[in-house]
């Protein structure tokens, strides 16, 4: 089950799950003074998942004795500091956050369908004689 497509889709689900947590935190703090909204940088997370952080090519490990890549480990969460919607310093727009939650839900569902299709293809290959 360690195919490149499934690995990327798995990382996409991880990123979407992280975004759900971040968006839920934004919604929960809609009335907290000086709270600044956060979001997830999918491009950064996808680049890290593909091993292309900083323009580097991914390392291929074919033996346990190979050196593992070390370095940058970012959560991909970015905070919007420059804006304020209210006098108390909070910059959470509840309508925009709910749109982001709906968008993330659609993204999550599409990735789960893609994983299901990949697993269905594998199942077909395994059961065909």
């Amino acid at each position: 089950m360690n195919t490149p497509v499934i690995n990327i889709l798995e990382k996409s689900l991880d990123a979407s799950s992280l975004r759900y947590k971040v968006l839920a935190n934004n919604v929960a703090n809609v009335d907290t003074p000086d709270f600044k909204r956060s979001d997830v940088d999918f491009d950064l997370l996808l680049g890290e998942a593909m091993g292309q952080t900083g323009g580097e090519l991914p390392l291929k490990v074919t033996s346990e004795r190979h050196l593992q890549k070390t370095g940058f480990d970012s959560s991909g969460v970015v905070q919007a500091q420059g804006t304020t919607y209210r006098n108390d310093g909070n910059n959470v727009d509840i309508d925009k956050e709910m749109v982001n939650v709906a968008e993330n839900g659609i993204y999550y569902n599409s990735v789960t369908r893609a994983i299901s299709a990949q697993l269905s293809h594998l199942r077909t290959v395994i059961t065909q004689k």
Side-chain angles (χ1 to χ4, degrees), residues 110-126:
S110 66
V111 173
T112 57
R113 281 191 214 120
I115 288 175
S116 179
Q118 287 294 314
L119 295 176
S120 177
H121 292 309
L122 286 174
R123 189 176 307 114
T124 301
V125 169
I126 291 169

Side-chain angles (χ1 to χ4, degrees), residues 11-103:
K11 295 296 182 185
S12 297
L13 284 179
D14 291 343
S16 182
S17 177
L18 175 62
R19 188 166 193 224
Y20 266 128
K21 292 175 187 174
V22 169
L23 293 174
N25 186 50
N26 291 345
V27 170
N29 287 290
V30 69
D31 292 324
T32 304
D34 294 320
F35 180 81
K36 300 298 181 188
R37 73 174 300 277
S38 298
D39 209 343
V40 175
D41 185 353
F42 277 106
D43 293 335
L44 175 65
L45 290 175
L46 182 61
E48 287 178 358
M50 296 178 69
Q52 296 176 351
T53 304
E56 300 172 4
L57 294 174
L59 295 177
K60 183 169 182 169
V61 179
T62 57
S63 171
E64 294 175 2
R65 295 181 293 175
H66 286 173
L67 295 175
Q68 298 296 319
K69 181 178 178 183
T70 59
F72 195 86
D73 182 19
S74 172
S75 67
V77 177
V78 292
Q79 191 175 47
Q81 293 289 337
T83 59
T84 300
Y85 291 116
R86 300 190 320 234
N87 289 335
D88 66 358
N90 188 309
N91 69 350
V92 177
D93 179 1
I94 192 67
D95 293 328
K96 184 175 182 195
E97 296 304 317
M98 297 313 291
V99 167
N100 288 338
V101 168
E103 175 188 292

